[in-house]
Structures are given as structure tokens and as C-alpha cells.
Amino acid sequence: MADTLFRIATFNLENLDDDADEPPFEERIATLRPQLERLEADILCLQEVDAQHPVKSEPRTLRALTRLLAGTRYAGYHVTAGDAPSPADRHNPVIVSRWPIRAARLLRHQLVPPARVRLATADPVPETDTEVGWDRPVLHAEVEMPDGRILHVLDLHLRAPIAAPVPGQKAGAQTWRTAAGWAEGFYLASIKRAGQALETRMAVDRLFDADPDALIVVAGDCNADLEQTAVRIIRAAPDFTGNPELANRVLEPLEQAIPEERRYTVLHAGTAVLLDHLMTSPRLTERLRDVAIHNEELTDEVDHADEPSPVSYHAPVVASFSLQIPASSRREG
């Protein structure tokens, strides 16, 4: 057996769409391609990939992503956005894999039903509970590794901490009529984010039920740092659950291995925050060799909030793992 390395990366591409006029898509390609090539990833977990209609009567395709990957090491990779008949128009999670993808599915209320909330500030106040559903699904792919194992990859983009709409409480796109209405909208957004995280954790637990030694990576933009609720739900560390017997079900945030001063993926109004994560199961964590965040040239998202920009305001996270494969096998370049 030969010991080699494979690499997994997560990257929020920030509204990847070639239908937009500003900035020109060629500028986006020129900015993003070098970042993708630098990752040298065997598996890419991407977020905010928009889909386009070839013609209006046909299903949407990932045309912008195909154009971005053309001519790169990823051009011949396997690509999945899940099992829906057509990708969503905006903000798809997408997995790009060097190795075959045995199955892929989208999880959205398959394991956790929508929350039901009696709104307090809506105008008029409803007489019945309002259903609060998740904005985006979680993408789960089963990747066939060269060593014969299945790697479970869960790619997610959790709800941002931006207040969700409340009937009768908006005076404009960015303006709220009352502080209480905004507060309830923020509360609804937190329910959405925590609900997505819960569905992710339940999917992970089902994988552990089937195989206690499962190789699992949860990757993506969680819109939360390591100690905030959504990430804690996904991690389920023993000091959270109070049960050491659940230690074999923990997901380890790999970014903890990076020096604290470099541990951030977004700059927001001068503050460095860690929103993008790679979290792995114990058996995959054992294979970890190194992890990095490519944040050297990160742009502050607030400084350019009012102008189109070709950059992503998120830094990619990439980790290397050991892989046992037959010595006769050759890894394609």
C-alpha cells in the first residue's frame, strides 16, 4: 500500500452567475480561478453557485460553474448539486469531486419538520401559527474513494444572521417599521439557521448509526463561528452533551489547528470572523495532515457592499488527509 494525500476544500463563491452584467463574468473567472487552482483539491464543496436557463423552457444548468472550471484541474471532475430535477436559480451547494459520486441527495425537512411559530409583531397578527422553513437544503454526496471506502460529504450554507421578513413590518427593502418587528425577524432567522444545523446533525447521526467508523466531512458557510449555536449543534462535542460515550460521534472543526490570529474566513467592518468550516468525523480526523485558510488577500465585505465586485468575500478552507491506496495505482495530475 502507498500512503498519499488527498485534499478537501470549502469555498463560498459569492453569487456565481454569468447572467449578471456587473462585474463582467470574465473578471470573476480571472479572480476565482487562481484561488481554486491553489487549493489543489480532490473534493471541492462550493456554496452560492447560481444556475442558469439554457432556454426558458428547459431545466436550469450550472453553466457559470462549468465556465469557471473550464481549463482548470477540475474540468473533468464529477459535479453534483443533488437529486432535484433542476438546480435552484440561486445559491446552490455544489460538490466537485475527482472521484465518482455514488449518490447525492438534498436534505430539506426530510429529517426535521419546519418550525411553527405564533408571530407576535405581524400586522395583522395571525390567528394561527406560521411555518418557518429553511432557506436552503443540505447537499449530501457519497464519494467512492480509491481505497474502497465511502466518504460522506455534507455541503451546507446556513441562513445568514439577517432578519427574516415579518408581514407588515417592512417599510422598505432594508428598512423596518419597528425595532420589535426587526427583532422578531432576527429571531426567525436564528430558527432557520439552527434548524438547518439540526437537520445536518441528525443526518450525521444516521450515518454513525449505520457505521460507527464512517468517514464524514461537513463543509460550508455556517454563518456562525465555533462557539455559536449552529456550529455547536453540528459538532455535538462531549462537553456540550455531557456524555463521554458520544465522543465517537463528534465532528471536529479542523480550523482549530490554525493559529488564532489566522483563524478567520471573513472580514466584516474590520472584524475578522470564522464563518466557513471543515468538520470531520473521528476516523477522518485521524487522517488529517494539515489545514489552511487562504485569507491573505481577503477583502472587507462592508467596504464594497454597494458596488459589484469580482472577488468572494469568503476565504477558502482546505485540509489534507492521508489515503492508503495500492502502490500500483497512479494518481492523475
Side-chain angles (χ1 to χ4, degrees):
M1 299 290 285
D3 191 12
T4 185
L5 296 178
F6 70 96
R7 291 163 67 84
I8 303 174
T10 182
F11 192 14
N12 184 328
L13 296 177
E14 203 90 45
N15 296 309
L16 184 75
D17 188 4
D18 64 356
D19 278 337
D21 295 327
E22 292 293 335
F25 192 65
E26 290 72 18
E27 291 185 16
R28 299 229 64 197
I29 287 177
T31 300
L32 294 173
R33 267 188 190 164
Q35 291 180 281
L36 291 172
E37 290 281 27
R38 180 187 175 192
L39 292 170
E40 298 182 334
D42 297 287
I43 297 172
L44 281 173
C45 297
L46 305 174
Q47 302 88 43
E48 293 199 25
V49 179
D50 293 355
Q52 297 75 35
H53 278 291
V55 296
K56 289 297 183 182
S57 60
E58 296 182 6
R60 289 180 290 267
T61 66
L62 301 176
R63 184 184 66 211
L65 180 62
T66 300
R67 291 179 61 188
L68 174 63
L69 299 183
T72 72
R73 69 177 60 243
Y74 309 105
Y77 279 25
H78 305 270
V79 178
T80 183
D83 54 354
S86 173
D89 57 342
R90 299 186 68 245
H91 290 193
N92 291 280
V94 175
I95 294 170
V96 181
S97 172
R98 173 189 293 271
W99 301 302
I101 298 172
R102 184 175 71 175
R105 60 190 63 85
L106 294 172
L107 301 175
R108 187 181 186 186
H109 301 307
Q110 276 80 4
L111 303 178
V112 180
R116 301 195 66 85
V117 175
R118 183 68 57 89
L119 296 176
T121 67
D123 185 13
V125 176
E127 296 181 359
T128 60
D129 292 347
T130 297
E131 190 173 272
V132 181
W134 324 152
D135 298 318
R136 290 175 288 268
V138 175
L139 173 58
H140 172 206
E142 300 176 13
V143 176
E144 298 179 358
M145 303 286 286
D147 62 359
R149 296 290 305 273
I150 295 297
L151 174 64
H152 296 277
V153 184
L154 288 90
D155 184 10
L156 70 164
H157 182 190
L158 303 189
R159 167 79 190 203
I162 299 173
V166 177
Q169 282 293 340
K170 297 294 289 287
Q174 304 296 327
T175 306
W176 289 81
R177 288 179 50 225
T178 67
W182 166 84
E184 185 164 42
F186 202 83
Y187 162 66
L188 295 178
S190 69
I191 292 175
K192 291 170 177 279
R193 186 164 56 256
Q196 287 176 282
L198 174 59
E199 190 146 34
T200 303
R201 167 41 66 176
M202 292 185 68
V204 167
D205 269 9
R206 288 194 172 193
L207 295 175
F208 281 131
D209 289 343
D211 178 8
D213 294 325
L215 301 179
I216 304 169
V217 58
V218 173
D221 176 3
C222 294
N223 272 306
D225 67 25
L226 289 173
E227 295 304 324
Q228 289 182 310
T229 300
V231 175
R232 289 169 68 93
I233 288 172
I234 296 170
R235 291 172 61 187
D239 55 330
F240 302 160
T241 64
N243 187 349
E245 294 184 4
L246 297 177
N248 61 343
R249 291 180 173 240
V250 68
L251 293 181
E252 191 69 28
L254 303 184
E255 312 86 54
Q256 292 183 120
I258 297 174
E260 189 171 357
E261 66 273 11
R262 300 288 304 167
R263 200 184 301 160
Y264 62 92
T265 61
V266 170
L267 293 175
H268 183 86
T271 300
V273 291
L274 180 63
L275 303 183
D276 304 83
H277 304 276
L278 289 173
M279 293 177 271
T280 53
S281 61
R283 292 297 172 262
L284 186 55
T285 305
E286 290 173 356
R287 300 182 179 208
L288 180 67
R289 293 298 174 263
D290 61 69
V291 59
I293 301 175
H294 295 172
N295 54 17
E296 300 87 350
E297 299 181 2
L298 199 58
T299 302
D300 194 311
E301 61 180 356
V302 173
D303 292 344
H304 301 275
D306 298 326
E307 59 187 58
S309 174
V311 306
S312 172
Y313 298 120
H314 290 253
V317 185
V318 60
S320 297
F321 304 86
S322 64
L323 176 67
Q324 290 283 329
I325 59 175
S328 59
S329 297
R330 296 182 60 187
R331 189 165 180 255
E332 296 179 2

